């Protein structure tokens, strides 16, 4: 195929590619009093440089194509791209990380290695950032998997597999999560055709504890999440236009909604745990979220995306009574970006994103101010060259 060449002396085709990205972010400093810490100590701006190299090697066999793929990202972050630059402890400094984003083998329907979760669908396909508080939908980066995909023709397929829970499991309130005794079980049914694509996916993950109550070990629970997504191609508007719609529900697996453990700024906090120990048993946390994104090409070289997400976390009354920090909360995210591609595979773009954290009831801050919600603005400029 395009971009591939034969490795001399072998029957394997290889394609080498990569990316260089330079990004600059403004993130609104927040605190209960913007003249005091942490707002004055937090970085309002941040710089990011990222280099990516990927290698795709494929060999034809009697069982189908044998594929090996590897993708490595090297990222240098400064300012508010670092957590230290946002928690009031002073400027974030300069940090360089090397991440094995993907490394997998595919052959005869088997996928083994590190790849995007088979649970994911939209997975932040259009937006630069996912926001300060939560990502848009289920995008959790890559996970380690072992899966099998069956194809049925006419674009239909089904996947069943095992995934390590480490990247997406959230803690237990009132106890300590025990070691993984079984991987998460993930499956999806998918269709890809000319009109677009659709997917129904689900996951089951283990919630276990090391804790004892009156000499009895806390019973193991199993959290789950389900998700449905559809992408419509809209060539009647302009070539390349598309609409994504996605909805997810989680019961004991709120990490699959794109939530981190703690969402906190400006004195307000939302805590997302997969479960809480009450009366010697694990009570699962429920949550749900919806995502929508629209891509439109104004001209062949200028495109714009508009996207939004609503995510809610719901705790039972018994859990909220037992743990004062665990209460219902909602997160709203909306944003848009405009990208200009003056030449092929080179993008210059700007994005603006707004998020709002809305915990249940009103919260009295240390300054004595009472708040029921807080919001934050973010802006990014990006230069990106793919090759």
């Amino acid at each position: 195929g395009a971009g591939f060449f034969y490795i001399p002396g072998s029957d394997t085709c290889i394609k080498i590619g990569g990316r260089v990205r330079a990004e600059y972010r403004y993130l609104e400093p927040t605190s209960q009093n913007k003249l005091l810490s942490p707002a004055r100590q937090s970085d309002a701006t941040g710089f990011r440089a990222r280099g990516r190299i990927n290698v795709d090697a494929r060999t034809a066999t009697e069982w189908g194509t044998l594929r090996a793929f590897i993708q490595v990202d090297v990222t240098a972050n400064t300012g508010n791209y670092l957590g230290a630059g946002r928690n009031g402890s002073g400027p974030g400094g300069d940090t360089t990380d090397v991440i094995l984003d993907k490394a997998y083998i595919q052959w005869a329907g088997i996928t083994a290695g590190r790849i995007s979760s088979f649970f994911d669908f939209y997975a932040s396909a259009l937006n630069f950032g996912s926001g300060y508080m939560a990502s848009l939908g289920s995008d959790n980066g890559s996970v380690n998997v072992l899966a099998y995909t069956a194809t049925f023709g006419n674009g239909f397929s089904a996947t069943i597999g095992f995934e390590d829970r480490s990247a997406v499991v959230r803690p237990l309130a009132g106890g300590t999560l025990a070691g993984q005794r079984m991987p998460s079980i993930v499956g999806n049914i998918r269709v890809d055709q000319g009109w677009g694509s659709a997917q129904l996916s689900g996951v089951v993950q283990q919630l276990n504890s090391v804790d004892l109550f009156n000499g009895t070990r806390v019973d193991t629970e199993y959290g789950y999440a389900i998700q449905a997504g559809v992408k419509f191609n809209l060539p009647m508007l302009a070539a390349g236009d598309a609409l994504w719609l996605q909805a997810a529900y989680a019961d004991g697996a709120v990490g699959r909604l794109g939530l981190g453990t703690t969402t906190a700024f400006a004195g307000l906090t939302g805590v997302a745990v997969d479960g809480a120990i009450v009366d010697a048993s694990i009570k699962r946390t429920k949550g749900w979220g919806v995502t929508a994104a629209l891509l439109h090409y104004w001209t062949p070289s200028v495109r714009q995306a508009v996207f939004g997400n609503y995510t809610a976390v719901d705790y039972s009354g018994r859990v909220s009574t037992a743990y004062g920090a665990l209460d219902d909360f909602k997160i709203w995210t909306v944003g848009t970006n405009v990208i200009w591609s003056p030449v092929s595979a080179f993008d210059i773009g700007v994005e603006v994103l707004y998020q709002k954290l809305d915990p249940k009831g009103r919260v009295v801050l240390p300054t004595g101010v009472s708040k029921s919600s807080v919001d934050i603005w973010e802006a990014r400029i990006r230069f990106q060259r793919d090759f």
Side-chain angles (χ1 to χ4, degrees):
F4 284 84
F5 60 91
Y6 275 105
I7 298 175
S10 77
D11 58 355
T12 297
C13 288
I14 191 169
K15 180 179 181 179
I16 300 173
R19 168 185 293 170
V20 174
R21 175 185 294 171
E23 195 172 89
Y24 310 92
R25 179 169 80 164
Y26 170 81
L27 187 60
E28 180 184 7
T30 57
S31 73
Q32 53 266 28
N33 183 338
K34 293 192 177 184
L35 297 178
L36 303 176
S37 176
R40 290 294 294 171
Q41 290 183 290
S42 297
D43 291 315
T45 62
F47 288 58
R48 166 175 288 174
R50 172 170 292 169
R52 167 177 292 179
I53 293 293
N54 53 60
V55 179
D56 192 351
R58 307 188 191 192
T59 304
T61 76
E62 59 181 316
W63 294 88
T65 300
L66 171 61
R67 182 187 188 193
F69 183 88
I70 184 170
Q71 181 169 290
V72 178
D73 287 340
V74 182
T75 306
N77 288 320
T78 60
N80 61 30
Y81 281 101
L82 298 168
R86 292 298 303 170
N87 63 12
S89 61
D94 189 328
T95 300
T96 299
D97 298 311
V98 180
I99 297 176
L100 181 64
D101 185 61
K102 292 178 175 63
Y104 59 86
I105 296 169
Q106 290 180 320
W107 179 74
I110 297 171
T111 299
R114 188 167 185 83
I115 195 172
S116 299
S117 172
F118 285 100
F119 180 85
D120 291 349
F121 182 70
Y122 168 71
S124 297
L126 300 180
N127 47 291
F128 293 179
S130 294
Y132 177 60
M133 293 183 279
S135 65
L136 273 72
S138 62
D139 183 25
N140 290 289
S142 298
V143 295
N144 292 334
V145 309
L146 175 61
Y148 176 77
T149 300
T151 55
F152 308 109
N154 199 29
F156 286 88
S157 65
T159 299
I160 185 71
F162 301 107
E163 292 185 359
D164 191 282
R165 72 177 185 180
S166 303
V168 290
V169 70
R170 299 296 172 252
L172 294 177
T176 301
L177 196 68
Q180 183 172 242
R181 295 296 183 268
M182 60 162 281
S184 299
I185 301 173
V186 178
N188 71 44
I189 300 173
R190 185 180 177 97
V191 58
D192 295 278
Q193 295 180 345
W195 58 266
S197 56
Q199 177 176 293
L200 178 64
S201 54
V203 61
V204 176
Q205 73 177 21
Q206 184 184 53
L207 299 177
N208 50 1
S209 174
V210 303
D211 298 278
L212 299 175
F213 286 83
N214 298 322
T216 302
R217 191 172 303 281
V218 174
D219 289 339
T220 296
E221 281 285 337
Y222 294 90
Y224 69 91
I226 55 175
Q227 181 170 265
V230 61
K231 174 192 174 185
F232 295 103
N233 295 327
L234 304 174
M236 69 290 295
L237 299 180
D241 281 20
L243 171 67
W244 278 261
L245 300 172
Q246 176 178 285
Y249 174 80
D251 188 345
V254 294
R256 295 288 177 168
L257 302 176
L259 292 169
T261 302
T262 303
T263 298
F265 65 93
L268 300 188
T269 302
V271 179
V273 295
D274 280 334
I277 298 177
V278 178
D279 298 332
S281 64
I282 298 174
K283 306 299 181 185
R284 300 190 303 260
T285 306
K286 296 179 174 59
W288 62 279
V290 292
T291 301
L294 174 66
L295 175 65
H296 176 61
Y297 280 78
W298 295 101
T299 72
S301 64
V302 177
R303 64 188 187 271
Q304 181 177 10
V306 180
F307 49 86
N309 172 269
Y310 173 85
T311 300
V313 173
D314 300 313
Y315 290 103
S316 69
R318 293 177 64 191
V319 170
S320 295
T321 299
Y323 301 93
L326 300 183
D327 216 338
D328 302 352
F329 67 92
K330 302 180 286 292
I331 297 175
W332 304 78
T333 305
V334 293
T336 185
N337 58 49
V338 178
I339 300 171
W340 174 44
S341 300
V343 297
S344 177
F346 176 46
D347 294 339
I348 301 174
V350 59
E351 177 175 280
V352 177
L353 189 148
Y354 169 84
Q355 284 192 304
K356 180 179 180 180
L357 172 64
D358 187 6
K360 183 179 180 181
R362 300 187 68 85
V363 177
V364 179
L365 304 178
T367 57
V369 177
S370 176
K371 282 190 174 183
S372 60
S373 65
V374 66
D375 52 23
I376 191 169
W377 287 91
E378 175 182 329
R380 299 188 189 215
I381 299 174
R382 173 181 290 181
F383 298 80
Q384 180 170 297
R385 168 69 164 133
D386 292 274
F387 58 88

